[in-house]
Amino acid sequence: MLEVEEILRQMTLEEKAALCTGASAWTTLAIPRLGVPEMVVSDGPHGLRRVADVHAVGTKSLPATAFPTASCLSATWNRELLREVGAAIAREAIALGVDVVLGPGNNMKRSPLCGRNFEYFSEDPYLAGELAASYIQGVQSQGVGTSLKHYAANNQEYQRLRIDVRVDERTLREIYLTGFEIAVKKGRPWTVMCAYNKVNGTYASEHRYLLQQVLKDEWGFEGLVVSDWGAVVDRVAALEAGLDLAMPGPKARFTQALVEAVRSGRLEEARLDEAVRRILRVVFRAKATPKGGQFDAEAHHALARRAAAEGMVLLKNEGLLPLKNPLRIAVIGRSALHPQFQGGGSSNVNPTRVDIPLEELRRVAGEAQVTYAEGYPEGLAEDPRLIEEAVAQARAAEVALVFVALPPAVESEGYDRPFLGLTPQQEALIQAVSQAQPRTVVVLNTGSAVDMRSWIGGVGAVLQGWLMGQAGAGAIADILFGRINPSGKLAETFPMRLQDTPAYLNFPGENGEVRYGEGIYIGYRYYEAKELPVLFPFGHGLSYTAFRYANLRCPSRFKDTEGLRVAFEVTNTGQVAGKEVVQVYVRDPQSSLPRPPKELKGFAKVALEPGETKTVEVELDYRAFAYYHPGLKDWVAEEGEYEILVGASSADIRLRQTVVLEATRDWPSLLNEESTLREWLQDKRGRKVMEPFLEEMLPQIRAAFGLEEGETFIGMDLMGFLLDMPLRSLLDFQSERLPTSPEVMVRDLLRRVRDGVLVDGEASGEGRRAL
Ligand code: BGC
């Protein structure tokens, strides 16, 4: 086999250009004369959609295990489980001849309306990044590649192929890129898939900042960047920006465009070589794993069931669950018989088999009589008779189990959800059933949050079952009957109502643009900052046992570069074994830039027998304390106090401790010609220069405004008035009395700031966090 560099040397310009576009819907170009094989890719992410005919996009795929979708997997908060699922998907890939799995999806859940939220992990970038990294590690541990997607800021389906996301850099870095950054650095995916949309005016596929500067140069991504299917508009611009492989293919005009661009000098051949090198490296890496054989469908079905059980979230339980051997059970709702176990679109798997909730319930219900009523028709249709029938059955039973799933017309890839609630018939059904039968349990098979206001008060329990994969039905039965203790927790906030959601006024945009006006405040960051009540907070999930948190230990001072190790104890104080998701948040009570009230920076899932105690240790690194400073273009962890908050959810903090961060990094001053007096006084170097200057100037300034000592200034506080004026403008008011022009004076002061040497420790003062 020839080395990559040798192959590159022997390739013609046409071959290089052709390799940079797919040869079919799912394969890259093979170049037999140089021993370059084709590479096969398939969706992803929660199971394989391996289309046998590589020239077909949407035909039925080969049977594969439909694992729970990402919103369920993320609610497990279990890194190891994500690795196991990833490894299983990779074994299926090997059996089905797939080299690279097109997943995981790792976009942030900006709005619960995004049609594709079921394919994404979380509203929190740290959680999403950690879980994506684990999934990637799992797949790639078997010698199969992944494609981390859709990079970046693809947070809605509406106009996804052209919408222009307007987002500021701090928000982009802290919220929309961090999940990718963690996944790239920890998971080292072989490929990253760019998004369809534009970001600040440029297609993600042509985005040099995103693809080259951030992903490849800063994060050190060594794999190849592939386009989302059809995301490339200008092939040459895309290649120049760092997009290596355009999919799907073949597309002669793309090849031609690259050839011509090199010939005309518009594109440097070295740039093309770089893309070819990246593609060849991944192709040969993939080929190192021989394909073929069988996968263990039984074992994977069992794993899918275990994963589903860990991801389901018991949202509400007024003592109704686990069921205590009822003799008459009314199972209600179409999705008990026709389970909605996955979402529509490219992730749709042809499952090896599908378990049916009604059958699984009958299996575990023993001698109980289990009736079934459809409750609501398919799709958005309405039929009051189905409600009447359901009510009659519910009344005759000891407990009603209502299964509800949103129809595919409402929740899928390709379009966003038109409303946050269930369908009108489903809401009416739950209301009517729970009125007739107070012992009503609702099982939701939705990919994201739903508005429950119209019925939640009347039901005894709610289990969020997600789009739970082909084996999820058994998991539901196990949880309802207490054979499994639920341990999932929400990776996304369930809001009260759509109007409360952070992006409400800026979703899905207008005139081809969507403005991320809420900035860094998405999910719980927003609800907490606004002090808005939510239906179920981020991190929430009930158990059949109870846990006690105690004895938080961590050093009270630490150096930013060394990070902080936090330890505490968790005890299972109940009667049954269980698993607890423990969450560590960091709060920065005082900062130069506004920050959310708290942010998740660590978590663990702990299995505990009744009465058992375990010590949990969580490492918090520099980034756990840092925000992205758009002026400094860097991550800043400011000196001073932080609070470490350990909780069972974002709203249920059990332990807290204040710690002091010692900053070892010194940041350049950001003062410039436009800086205001306040900024001068807040800047640690600026203040040293400004204070004596101001003392000298103040009498003059007062005089310039015609003020005698003790007089007030046109009914306002003079200092308050001056503080937010640029120093230049302030001086301008008295330019007649100045020795030189305001511009020259400001420039001179700035020079003094730049030349000034700061003595260590001298900086703190009123604005502790002033940089
Ligand atoms: C989706 C991707 C998917 C690709 C290939 C696109 O429409 O956005 O997630 O991997 O199609 O099916």
Side-chain angles (χ1 to χ4, degrees):
M1 196 174 79
L2 295 174
E3 293 286 324
V4 164
E5 288 307 315
E6 185 50 35
I7 294 173
L8 191 60
R9 236 187 323 274
Q10 295 189 26
M11 282 172 87
T12 63
L13 176 59
E14 285 74 9
E15 282 170 337
K16 290 181 193 174
L19 184 68
C20 291
T21 300
S24 74
W26 308 111
T27 51
T28 58
L29 184 76
I31 310 174
R33 78 175 184 94
L34 297 172
V36 177
E38 69 172 15
M39 179 171 77
V40 179
V41 302
S42 276
D43 285 307
H46 40 261
L48 284 175
R49 187 170 65 90
R50 166 66 154 114
V51 183
D53 172 4
V54 293
H55 293 283
V57 175
T59 54
K60 196 164 185 179
S61 52
L62 302 173
T65 308
F67 287 93
T69 68
S71 51
C72 180
L73 289 176
S74 58
T76 68
W77 296 61
N78 186 336
R79 296 177 178 93
E80 192 41 48
L81 188 56
L82 269 281
R83 268 182 220 117
E84 277 185 67
V85 169
I89 290 173
R91 284 193 296 274
E92 300 199 7
I94 291 171
L96 300 180
V98 172
D99 296 304
V100 173
V101 180
L102 301 177
N106 198 21
N107 294 100
M108 289 295 105
K109 302 190 191 203
R110 175 173 178 252
S111 164
L113 294 185
C114 172
R116 234 176 152 176
N117 273 358
F118 70 89
E119 276 188 72
Y120 300 142
F121 291 116
S122 182
E123 67 188 23
D124 181 86
Y126 175 75
L127 178 59
E130 287 289 310
L131 297 178
S134 303
Y135 171 100
I136 292 166
Q137 288 162 359
V139 174
Q140 295 188 175
S141 69
Q142 307 298 305
V144 172
T146 55
S147 196
L148 177 66
K149 66 189 187 183
H150 311 89
Y151 182 72
N154 175 192
N155 311 101
Q156 63 187 51
E157 292 301 280
Y158 176 73
Q159 298 185 351
R160 66 173 170 156
L161 281 105
R162 78 109 200 266
I163 195 86
D164 183 10
V165 172
R166 311 302 297 199
V167 55
D168 66 87
E169 195 185 8
R170 180 180 176 200
T171 300
L172 192 59
R173 290 283 191 156
E174 286 188 23
I175 303 296
Y176 297 98
L177 296 188
T178 291
F180 285 102
E181 181 179 1
I182 296 170
V184 164
K185 288 181 176 170
K186 284 197 176 167
R188 303 173 70 85
W190 293 6
T191 85
V192 168
M193 186 190 293
C194 81
Y196 282 128
N197 48 282
K198 300 185 195 108
V199 179
N200 294 328
T202 305
Y203 282 110
S205 61
E206 295 173 15
H207 217 293
R208 216 183 147 72
Y209 169 88
L210 287 177
L211 304 183
Q212 188 63 46
Q213 184 181 325
V214 174
L215 175 66
K216 291 182 177 175
D217 297 345
E218 272 182 42
W219 299 347
F221 172 66
E222 288 171 353
L224 70 84
V225 177
V226 59
S227 72
D228 199 344
W229 267 230
V232 171
V233 180
D234 179 334
R235 183 64 191 98
V236 179
L239 193 114
E240 258 171 332
L243 188 287
D244 304 302
L245 175 63
M247 287 299 280
K251 269 198 184 79
R253 67 189 165 86
F254 278 3
T255 306
Q256 201 51 36
L258 289 177
V259 169
E260 275 163 22
V262 172
R263 291 222 170 100
S264 71
R266 178 183 162 197
L267 179 69
E268 274 182 45
E269 189 160 0
R271 195 87 204 141
L272 182 62
D273 287 352
E274 178 54 24
V276 170
R277 210 174 266 127
R278 283 177 182 263
I279 295 169
L280 288 177
R281 281 202 302 252
V282 173
V283 167
F284 284 110
R285 201 166 175 186
K287 289 304 152 187
T289 304
K291 303 299 181 309
Q294 304 274 316
F295 64 86
D296 187 342
E298 273 308 309
H300 291 185
H301 189 78
L303 173 60
R305 178 169 177 158
R306 186 150 59 82
E310 270 215 24
M312 290 185 185
V313 182
L314 183 58
L315 293 173
K316 171 176 177 171
N317 184 19
E318 291 182 340
L320 200 47
L321 296 178
L323 297 174
K324 292 147 199 97
N325 302 318
L327 292 176
R328 289 189 316 282
I329 304 172
V331 175
I332 292 161
R334 242 189 102 73
S335 55
L337 199 54
H338 307 277
Q340 188 70 15
F341 62 94
Q342 62 176 338
S346 59
S347 69
N348 207 263
V349 174
N350 174 17
T352 56
R353 62 187 240 220
V354 180
D355 290 345
I356 308 300
L358 183 61
E359 288 171 12
E360 296 303 315
L361 287 168
R362 288 202 164 123
R363 218 188 297 282
V364 297
E367 299 298 292
Q369 181 203 39
V370 180
T371 60
Y372 169 73
E374 190 178 349
Y376 54 91
E378 200 175 352
L380 288 158
E382 294 184 25
D383 183 349
R385 280 170 316 174
L386 294 182
I387 296 183
E388 282 162 30
E389 180 199 10
V391 165
Q393 290 191 10
R395 197 171 280 130
E398 287 167 45
V399 61
L401 309 177
V402 185
F403 284 72
V404 183
L406 286 171
V410 169
E411 185 171 37
S412 162
E413 177 180 342
Y415 40 87
D416 294 319
R417 286 165 64 189
F419 46 81
L420 192 62
L422 298 170
T423 70
Q425 167 106 7
Q426 290 168 343
E427 292 192 347
L429 171 74
I430 301 174
Q431 285 165 0
V433 167
S434 61
Q435 249 164 38
Q437 173 52 270
R439 295 166 58 80
T440 291
V441 179
V442 174
V443 179
L444 291 169
N445 286 122
T446 60
S448 187
V450 293
D451 180 338
M452 305 181 200
R453 277 174 303 156
S454 72
W455 52 264
I456 182 111
V459 304
V462 182
L463 178 67
Q464 179 62 36
W466 308 112
L467 303 179
M468 75 283 196
Q470 65 179 48
I476 293 174
D478 286 342
I479 290 175
L480 295 184
F481 280 85
R483 291 152 57 119
I484 284 186
N485 188 355
S487 64
K489 292 201 180 184
L490 292 180
E492 59 198 281
T493 307
F494 276 35
M496 283 287 184
R497 45 178 212 148
L498 184 62
Q499 291 87 331
D500 293 343
T501 59
Y504 180 63
L505 295 177
N506 284 311
F507 184 94
E510 60 200 30
N511 297 321
E513 275 187 16
V514 55
R515 221 166 328 114
Y516 284 19
E518 70 286 354
I520 55 172
Y521 296 95
I522 76 161
Y524 66 93
R525 287 166 169 78
Y526 175 82
Y527 299 108
E528 295 203 345
K530 295 274 289 184
E531 297 182 1
L532 275 178
V534 297
L535 188 57
F536 298 110
F538 176 82
H540 166 79
L542 303 174
S543 165
Y544 295 150
T545 186
F547 301 97
R548 188 180 60 227
Y549 291 60
N551 206 7
L552 173 58
R553 301 180 299 275
C554 60
S556 56
R557 293 186 81 83
F558 67 103
K559 279 208 175 64
D560 53 4
T561 43
E562 286 166 13
L564 185 71
R565 173 174 293 187
V566 176
F568 53 95
E569 276 145 30
V570 193
T571 305
N572 181 347
T573 56
Q575 304 304 312
V576 288
K579 291 183 183 173
E580 173 72 332
V581 173
V582 296
Q583 302 157 42
V584 179
Y585 297 85
V586 173
R587 170 178 173 77
D588 183 358
Q590 194 192 352
S591 168
S592 300
L593 297 189
R595 299 191 73 174
K598 66 166 84 81
E599 294 183 278
L600 181 79
K601 298 297 174 182
F603 65 89
K605 190 157 195 177
V606 196
L608 293 163
E609 294 299 320
E612 191 183 349
T613 297
K614 277 186 186 159
T615 298
V616 181
E617 283 190 355
V618 171
E619 297 278 348
L620 300 175
D621 61 8
Y622 179 90
R623 280 288 287 275
F625 301 91
Y627 61 82
Y628 187 81
H629 196 300
L632 293 166
K633 304 240 169 271
D634 209 339
W635 294 90
V636 175
E638 290 183 11
E639 174 111 2
E641 287 188 352
Y642 292 82
E643 266 188 280
I644 307 300
L645 310 171
V646 177
S649 85
S650 60
D652 183 7
I653 299 302
R654 308 283 185 86
L655 307 168
R656 56 176 76 217
Q657 187 175 324
T658 299
V659 293
V660 175
L661 179 146
E662 290 173 27
T664 57
R665 299 182 69 174
D666 194 19
W667 301 100
S669 167
L670 287 173
L671 291 174
N672 59 36
E673 272 85 357
E674 287 257 281
S675 296
T676 63
L677 183 55
R678 190 193 301 277
E679 286 166 344
W680 276 88
L681 292 171
Q682 281 180 342
D683 183 279
K684 61 187 178 186
R685 292 175 178 83
R687 187 167 56 246
K688 284 180 63 185
V689 174
M690 187 48 54
E691 273 172 355
F693 178 78
L694 201 60
E695 203 162 307
E696 212 176 288
M697 293 295 293
L698 253 182
Q700 247 192 69
I701 295 172
R702 298 183 69 85
F705 285 101
L707 286 172
E708 297 292 332
E709 193 64 42
E711 247 180 291
T712 57
F713 167 63
I714 51 173
M716 65 202 300
D717 173 57
L718 177 65
M719 209 46 192
F721 177 70
L722 300 179
L723 274 173
D724 292 313
M725 280 173 88
L727 187 59
R728 180 187 33 74
S729 322
L730 197 161
L731 295 174
D732 201 41
F733 275 101
Q734 52 210 301
S735 51
E736 306 307 306
R737 302 163 197 238
L738 299 178
T740 151
S741 76
E743 285 75 18
V744 170
M745 287 186 76
V746 172
R747 246 177 273 142
D748 182 54
L749 288 165
L750 284 171
R751 196 168 321 114
R752 282 164 60 192
V753 167
R754 236 166 273 136
D755 296 346
V757 182
L758 192 80
V759 184
D760 251 5
E762 213 182 324
S764 49
E766 177 218 345
R768 144 188 99 89
R769 287 301 167 77
L771 290 170

